[in-house]
Amino acid sequence: MLSYRASLDVPRVLAQTVARLLFTHRARIGTRRGRRSMGCFAQAVLLLRFMRQRAAVADLARDNTISLSSAYRYLHEALDVLAAQAPDLSEVVAEAVRRGTEHLLLDGTLIATDRVRDRTGRRDRWYSGKHRHHGGLVQVVTDADGRPLWVSPVEPGCTHDLTAARMHALPLLYVAAGHGVPTLADKAYTGAGAGIHVPVRRPKGGQLLDRSTRGWNSYVNAERAFVEHGIAHLKTHWRALHHVSLCPWRITAMVATALVLSRLENRY
């Protein structure tokens, strides 16, 4: 058998920080020393390999000489521990208001998944007609520079952006708007309500928009591009989000973990 060493392109201090969070979790649930087949640092590396490299769980089990079921158990535990560190939208809004942020940005993204049999009547809930493949829809709020601040729980891919936003984001974004921090979004959020600013749709019949309205649309689209950059960063930096083979409901924990890891990594 051929053996070799590989490197993981994350700072060692990030793995150490994740290991400390896992150690705190084990202490909280009363795990006794020596009762785990993996230490906290090894479990942190397992999580980082999964998130950064999209390593197969079978490979993680083999490399750590543990069973496949144990590898899944360690992975899901680590995902839940890290996801619990993600900020609530209420915290994000309060901080934006405190800082006097010019505006927030909102957009949705589809995380591709394996095909899932989950039908409501004749509808395949996890199939996105817009993207023409299966996936889970997540709402993302960033600052004006595109730095991700908050991610929503996942909804099946057939869900419309506006519907998901109404469930998870809009009530608190209205609060932000009431304190002078509006939100910019794309045309999918047309009708979202006061304080959620979107480009103006072109009237039916082919009429042209007036100059001031076209200028407004250019401004919103230019500013909104930053949220797309922030989402692209999460997906490219944490390759596990390219395509999810776990249960699609686990996308909630995976995206929250990616957000937390990105925030931790930027500290160093």
Side-chain angles (χ1 to χ4, degrees):
M1 179 180 294
L2 177 66
S3 63
Y4 64 95
R5 291 193 174 193
S7 61
L8 184 62
D9 61 334
V10 298
R12 183 177 182 84
V13 69
L14 176 60
Q16 292 170 335
T17 302
V18 173
R20 283 195 293 270
L21 291 172
L22 294 170
F23 179 83
T24 301
H25 166 73
R26 292 187 186 189
R28 185 171 59 251
I29 65 176
T31 302
R32 289 182 290 174
R33 187 180 298 273
R35 297 304 298 268
R36 296 286 194 106
S37 56
M38 289 186 71
C40 293
F41 187 81
Q43 186 179 6
V45 173
L46 179 147
L47 172 69
L48 290 169
R49 286 186 60 193
F50 175 80
M51 291 299 298
R52 181 77 109 199
Q53 300 176 333
R54 196 170 171 261
V57 180
D59 292 341
L60 298 174
R62 180 202 62 214
D63 295 344
N64 289 282
T65 61
I66 57 177
S67 68
L68 184 61
S69 61
S70 293
Y72 273 109
R73 188 163 57 251
Y74 279 116
L75 173 62
H76 286 299
E77 179 185 48
L79 286 170
D80 289 336
V81 169
L82 268 291
Q85 304 298 313
D88 293 330
L89 185 54
S90 58
E91 299 170 358
V92 170
V93 167
E95 181 65 13
V97 171
R98 186 186 69 81
R99 289 176 174 268
T101 302
E102 180 181 354
H103 60 257
L104 297 172
L105 300 171
L106 171 67
D107 201 0
T109 185
L110 192 79
I111 308 296
T113 67
D114 290 340
R115 185 178 182 87
V116 178
R117 291 185 178 181
D118 186 358
R119 292 182 176 274
T120 302
R122 296 182 178 180
R123 193 176 195 183
D124 188 344
R125 297 179 66 210
W126 292 94
Y127 183 78
S128 170
K130 175 182 176 181
H131 297 88
R132 298 187 178 181
H133 60 75
H134 289 79
L137 180 67
V138 174
Q139 301 296 298
V140 181
V141 171
T142 74
D143 63 15
D145 294 323
R147 285 186 289 267
L149 302 175
W150 172 83
V151 291
S152 75
V154 69
E155 293 296 332
C158 70
T159 309
H160 192 278
D161 275 320
L162 183 54
T163 301
R166 282 173 173 157
M167 288 190 286
H168 301 297
L170 292 186
L172 285 168
L173 293 179
Y174 294 149
V175 173
H179 288 85
V181 182
T183 299
L184 305 185
D186 65 20
K187 292 178 182 178
Y189 298 89
T190 299
I196 313 301
H197 300 319
V198 301
V200 177
R201 293 182 183 274
R202 187 171 180 176
K204 293 182 179 179
Q207 300 96 326
L208 295 177
L209 297 172
D210 61 75
R211 179 176 297 179
S212 62
T213 303
R214 293 199 303 271
W216 165 254
N217 285 357
S218 296
Y219 165 74
V220 174
N221 289 328
E223 293 297 314
R224 195 183 57 77
F226 289 100
V227 68
E228 297 177 352
H229 297 162
I231 292 172
H233 167 81
L234 285 179
K235 286 186 169 183
T236 57
H237 209 55
W238 306 106
R239 300 185 189 103
L241 301 181
H242 286 185
H243 188 99
V244 174
S245 297
L246 303 179
C247 170
W249 290 111
R250 295 298 289 164
I251 292 174
T252 295
M254 290 176 63
V255 176
T257 295
L259 175 65
V260 172
L261 290 174
S262 293
R263 290 164 66 95
L264 290 173
E265 191 172 26
N266 286 340
R267 293 180 184 177
Y268 307 115

